[in-house]
Amino acid sequence: MYKKEQYLYRQEKKVKAIVRNYVKPDFNELIQIQKESFPPPFPSDLWWNEEQLNNHITLFPDGALCVEIDGILAGSITGLLVDFDLESPKHTWEEITDKGYIKTHNKNGKTLYIVDICIRPSFRKLDLGKFLMQSMYETVIQLNLDRLLGGGRMRGYHKCADALTPEQYIEKVVNGEIHDQVISFLLRCGRTPLVLVPGYLEDEESHHYGLLMEWKNPFKFG
């Protein structure tokens, strides 16, 4: 079981954050966090459901982490193991995650693939997303995996699509000329771009593109 404690600061006030594996008693709160983070018109059938969450803690509990602040569940991150082929990197989110049910989990896989990260809106100024991502990096090292991988949606691309190709947009985000709420966050977390994937997910803001981004295990690729 994973457990990490750290003090964070919000408006100069010290708060204690605890990252741990999420378990069945957390399910209702995890679903509530999704509702708060993705309110209507976001489709409610895309929020976590109990079957998905039960699969997470059953098939790969090491990849099911949440963060508590003062006893309140503030966010979660979920992953699975896959056998990733660098020669054939393109896929969709639904294909590789089994639509979030993670029955595609491969216990012998050497890549930790991020299914989802979600932070309660009222806690987003604490950098909890980065805190959770760092915890997953630690899981990569602990399990002696090759890398962490995941697709980032290009949330701001629709604003520039008339002027920039997806490749040009990503280049400007990486260079710091454009801020993208998702891709810039992942860059700050230490992720590096790998390949653009058209049709990665149903998302009009991204024009359905996803950017695969990785973090390599420094003990294997240092």
Side-chain angles (χ1 to χ4, degrees), residues 68-215:
E68 288 183 7
I69 301 292
D70 296 329
I72 299 172
L73 216 57
S76 68
I77 190 169
T78 304
L80 77 159
L81 297 185
V82 299
D83 187 17
F84 180 67
D85 183 1
L86 281 168
E87 299 300 318
S88 303
K90 295 186 178 181
H91 56 266
T92 69
W93 180 87
E94 288 191 355
E95 288 170 345
I96 202 162
T97 71
D98 184 35
K99 298 182 180 179
Y101 287 87
I102 74 163
K103 292 177 184 176
T104 45
H105 171 68
N106 177 357
K107 65 180 181 179
N108 297 315
K110 300 301 287 182
T111 293
L112 175 55
Y113 196 95
I114 299 300
V115 180
D116 175 80
I117 182 169
C118 186
I119 304 298
R120 206 166 215 147
S122 55
F123 287 93
R124 286 183 182 165
K125 292 185 178 180
L126 283 172
D127 263 350
L128 296 181
K130 188 175 182 180
F131 191 37
L132 283 171
M133 194 70 69
Q134 289 171 341
S135 299
M136 281 296 198
Y137 296 160
E138 293 164 8
T139 299
V140 168
I141 293 170
Q142 180 187 13
L143 298 180
N144 195 32
L145 305 175
D146 292 342
R147 65 178 54 78
L148 178 146
L149 182 71
R153 73 186 190 95
M154 298 152 49
R155 186 170 176 179
Y157 179 56
H158 65 286
K159 300 175 184 176
C160 310
D162 290 341
L164 300 173
T165 66
E167 291 82 4
Q168 290 170 332
Y169 177 79
I170 290 302
E171 183 178 1
K172 288 183 176 294
V173 173
V174 171
N175 290 338
E177 299 172 51
I178 294 176
H179 175 81
D180 182 278
Q181 192 169 353
V182 175
I183 304 301
S184 298
F185 159 72
L186 293 173
L187 289 169
R188 290 197 306 273
C189 288
R191 300 265 288 276
T192 56
L194 190 62
V195 63
L196 266 171
V197 182
Y200 178 74
L201 73 173
E202 289 293 326
D203 177 43
E204 292 184 4
E205 290 183 329
S206 304
H207 283 216
H208 314 298
Y209 277 86
L211 178 67
L212 285 187
M213 302 177 72
E214 69 175 349
W215 180 87

Side-chain angles (χ1 to χ4, degrees), residues 14-37:
K14 183 172 68 175
V15 295
K16 187 177 185 179
I18 299 174
V19 176
R20 60 170 175 81
N21 301 93
Y22 59 77
V23 291
K24 198 162 189 173
D26 298 314
F27 285 3
N28 287 340
E29 201 64 19
L30 291 169
I31 294 170
Q32 179 59 35
I33 290 171
Q34 294 257 309
K35 291 178 181 179
E36 293 177 17
S37 300

Side-chain angles (χ1 to χ4, degrees), residues 22-70:
Y22 59 77
V23 291
K24 198 162 189 173
D26 298 314
F27 285 3
N28 287 340
E29 201 64 19
L30 291 169
I31 294 170
Q32 179 59 35
I33 290 171
Q34 294 257 309
K35 291 178 181 179
E36 293 177 17
S37 300
F38 307 110
F42 188 87
S44 60
D45 60 338
L46 295 182
W47 296 331
W48 285 142
N49 60 55
E50 289 198 11
E51 182 181 353
Q52 289 170 318
L53 293 169
N54 193 63
N55 283 359
H56 301 168
I57 67 171
T58 303
L59 296 174
F60 187 46
D62 287 332
L65 300 180
C66 64
V67 58
E68 288 183 7
I69 301 292
D70 296 329

